[in-house]
Amino acid sequence: MEIKKSPDGGWGWVIVVVSFFTQFLCYGSPVAVGVLYVEWLDAFGEGKGKTAWVGSLASGVGLLASPICSLCVSSFGARAVTIFSGFMVAGGLMLSGFAPNIYFLFFSYGIIVGLGCGLLYTATVTITCQYFDSRRGLALGLISTGSSVGLFIYAALQRLLIESYGLDGCLLIVGALALNILACGSLMRPLQSSDCPLPENALENVPDRCSTYSEKEKNLEESISVLEKSCSSETGKSPLANGHWKGESRLHKTLMTTAHGTRETETYKKKVAEQTYFCKQLAKRKWQLYKNYCGETVALFKNKVFSALFIAIFLFDIGGFPPSLLMEDVARSSNVKEEELIVPLISIIGIMTAVGKLLLGILADFKWINTLHLYIATLIVMGLALCAIPFAKTYITLAILSGILGFLTGNWSIFPYVTTKTVGIEKLAHAYGILMFFAGLGNSLGPPIVGWFYDWTQTYDIAFYFSGFCVLLGGFILLLASLPPWETCNRQLPKPAPATFLYKVASHV
């Protein structure tokens, strides 16, 4: 497979539009799960820590499985993965409408929907990065606003559907809407040529140092000789030595039959030897690919910025994700009356996240802006905003903090950009899968930890102090790793020597 040059436009804008709607449809309900969280608390009567696992799994499982998601996208392409994942998300949402208890939701909503969202996110980000280079920041910002717009719309939509059709009817309708992902996936035209056959003289032009498996030609000849020895007992005897023939015509016929049988035997032996040789080379190739993957992973962690990046994203998701899930319950715990909630706090977070993703994505395209430092600044300011939540006791102050947190959460749009600058576009899928695994781990642990703090202390104060400290710590670790220069992050990892796997096998095999 040979990746063509990024067109930075053309069909790429269609990819941006369908990726936007894909993230809108798949992430709309999971990111606005705070509305469902309050209903599940009343419906199942479980603790806040346990109930928070549903929303945290929906956001965390897909990220935890990011290495697998990246492998699926690399193996099957973004289009096939998007269509398959659309069925997963829609089926998981509809199945959740029949949940008899909270444990069933862990599987249907947390695991199935979460894994489908992870696959869709990896597919949309990967194919967008392939279609855009100089405008990559803008493109990523546009598609990532899909989940934010989904949060804004689905927060109000799910509340309206719950009032009209109940919790079960709401999940069934939202699941039916998610089926539109299939139409979006069908438009994701791959930017890869499906076939890249080697020219006839390719074997002559490739130098020896580019061949990973330079097996000598005598291997094939030795394989044939082994077969000849095993078949010598059957083919060594000539029919002429076993009897007398009566006529020349019969002798001629027998000689022709013997010659034909000998040719068939030689052809069969050659086919078996060639197939054996091919399987041997294929097994070596698979083992070499596995070794290369492990070697590339070790090389990634030798980059100090990448190592700090995975710590920062882990701590960011532990502390930064809970507000989008728990802010509605925070308002209720602060005795904010329901009639004072002019606009749902989750909707404010959603719309400001969309604004943040778009503006931060545009800023990332400016050459004079250090994207890594921009990302670090969002982490530090967000940590301070989280520490200020315990002091907010009115709707106005909670709405302001929700807007600030939402805008800073938009740094997700520049995170793939920072990752690409750190490791290069060639290793984006590999590195991004590793980083998203740690992000998913933080997403899965953050809301339950905050919920458990509330169950123990009956207040969210200590919980959000803890969340703010985690985000601040991640920001300062990344800041220290980026000093002295940003050039450390811009310097791409050394590319391994080219490996061309050559199979000299007959065309009929």
Side-chain angles (χ1 to χ4, degrees):
M1 302 284 282
E2 180 182 347
I3 300 179
K4 301 176 183 177
K5 186 180 182 299
S6 302
D8 273 316
W11 192 260
W13 294 118
V14 178
I15 297 297
V16 168
V17 172
V18 298
S19 297
F20 170 89
F21 281 106
T22 297
Q23 293 202 16
F24 170 81
L25 293 167
C26 76
Y27 276 105
S29 180
V31 295
V33 73
V35 176
L36 303 176
Y37 170 75
V38 177
E39 298 296 326
W40 286 330
L41 282 174
D42 299 334
F44 300 116
E46 300 287 352
K48 295 187 178 182
K50 182 183 291 187
T51 307
W53 272 109
V54 180
S56 64
L57 285 174
S59 297
V61 166
L63 298 176
L64 283 171
S66 288
I68 299 176
C69 297
S70 299
L71 181 61
C72 290
V73 174
S74 300
S75 302
F76 304 107
R79 173 185 286 172
V81 170
T82 300
I83 293 175
F84 174 78
S85 303
F87 283 111
M88 287 187 65
V89 173
L93 289 171
M94 293 180 181
L95 197 61
S96 300
F98 303 97
N101 52 54
I102 198 70
Y103 301 101
F104 188 89
L105 286 173
F106 289 163
F107 171 74
S108 62
Y109 198 98
I111 296 179
I112 296 181
V113 175
L115 185 58
C117 289
L119 288 166
L120 289 169
Y121 181 78
T122 305
T124 53
V125 168
T126 301
I127 195 170
T128 302
C129 287
Q130 290 174 356
Y131 268 87
F132 288 89
D133 185 14
S134 61
R135 299 178 178 177
R136 185 175 297 146
L138 174 61
L140 290 173
L142 288 172
I143 69 167
S144 60
T145 56
S147 59
S148 305
V149 175
L151 172 58
F152 175 74
I153 294 179
Y154 271 74
L157 176 63
Q158 289 186 146
R159 179 174 293 177
L160 178 62
L161 291 176
I162 289 172
E163 293 175 357
S164 302
Y165 304 102
L167 180 60
D168 299 344
C170 169
L171 290 169
L172 289 174
I173 294 174
V174 170
L177 290 175
L179 289 173
N180 290 284
I181 295 173
L182 308 182
C184 296
S186 64
L187 295 175
M188 290 185 179
R189 180 190 302 168
L191 190 64
Q192 296 176 337
S193 55
S194 57
D195 296 309
C196 296
L198 290 173
E200 294 181 359
N201 59 349
L203 299 180
E204 301 174 1
N205 297 332
V206 178
D208 294 337
R209 62 183 177 85
C210 295
S211 178
T212 303
Y213 307 123
S214 55
E215 296 282 351
K216 297 181 179 180
E217 292 299 323
K218 66 178 184 179
N219 289 348
L220 184 58
E221 298 174 358
E222 290 175 356
S223 301
I224 296 176
S225 65
V226 172
L227 290 174
E228 289 177 346
K229 291 179 181 180
S230 62
C231 299
S232 60
S233 59
E234 298 179 4
T235 60
K237 295 181 180 180
S238 174
L240 296 174
N242 296 332
H244 301 281
W245 309 103
K246 295 182 179 180
E248 294 181 358
S249 60
R250 188 172 181 182
L251 176 61
H252 178 72
K253 181 178 180 180
T254 304
L255 289 174
M256 293 297 293
T257 304
T258 303
H260 180 69
T262 303
R263 284 196 301 270
E264 288 185 348
T265 303
E266 292 295 333
T267 303
Y268 172 75
K269 289 188 296 183
K270 189 174 182 180
K271 283 183 179 181
V272 173
E274 288 171 348
Q275 290 175 355
T276 304
Y277 182 70
F278 178 82
C279 292
K280 179 182 177 182
Q281 294 291 78
L282 184 61
K284 287 184 177 181
R285 177 180 180 273
K286 294 297 184 182
W287 174 248
Q288 185 66 30
L289 289 176
Y290 173 75
K291 289 176 63 178
N292 289 343
Y293 181 86
C294 295
E296 289 175 3
T297 303
V298 173
L300 286 173
F301 282 98
K302 289 182 179 179
N303 185 325
K304 66 177 183 179
V305 177
F306 178 82
S307 298
L309 204 57
F310 92 84
I311 297 175
I313 193 65
F314 173 70
L315 294 174
F316 167 75
D317 278 276
I318 285 182
F321 177 65
S324 62
L325 176 61
L326 303 173
M327 194 57 80
E328 292 289 323
D329 195 51
V330 170
R332 190 166 66 172
S333 300
S334 300
N335 297 320
V336 176
K337 298 180 181 180
E338 189 171 347
E339 55 269 16
E340 296 180 15
L341 298 175
I342 304 172
V343 179
L345 295 176
I346 294 181
S347 295
I348 295 176
I349 293 176
I351 195 62
M352 290 305 297
T353 302
V355 174
K357 287 179 177 179
L358 187 59
L359 291 182
L360 292 173
I362 293 174
L363 289 175
D365 284 332
F366 288 104
K367 302 297 182 183
W368 51 272
I369 290 183
N370 189 316
T371 314
L372 178 62
H373 291 166
L374 177 63
Y375 183 76
I376 293 172
T378 61
L379 295 182
I380 294 175
V381 177
M382 187 174 190
L384 296 175
L386 286 169
C387 293
I389 289 180
F391 299 99
K393 301 298 181 182
T394 64
Y395 172 76
I396 297 298
T397 54
L398 285 174
I400 293 173
L401 286 175
S402 296
I404 294 173
L405 291 173
F407 180 84
L408 297 173
T409 305
N411 62 8
W412 272 104
S413 67
I414 63 174
F415 187 74
Y417 197 96
V418 173
T419 306
T420 305
K421 287 291 185 180
T422 304
V423 301
I425 187 62
E426 298 85 1
K427 299 183 183 298
L428 173 63
H430 185 185
Y432 204 71
I434 295 173
L435 292 173
M436 289 301 100
F437 173 84
F438 289 100
L441 190 60
N443 256 348
S444 300
L445 296 177
I449 290 176
V450 172
W452 288 331
F453 271 119
Y454 184 90
D455 291 337
W456 294 335
T457 62
Q458 296 302 306
T459 179
Y460 280 114
D461 294 353
I462 297 178
F464 281 105
Y465 288 143
F466 171 78
S467 297
F469 172 77
C470 287
V471 178
L472 283 172
L473 180 61
F476 282 117
I477 290 176
L478 189 56
L479 179 61
L480 291 175
S482 65
L483 298 176
W486 164 239
E487 281 75 15
T488 302
C489 187
N490 279 337
R491 192 164 53 241
Q492 298 183 3
L493 296 175
K495 296 182 180 180
T500 305
F501 305 100
L502 306 177
Y503 302 101
K504 290 190 176 183
V505 183
S507 60
H508 58 267
V509 177

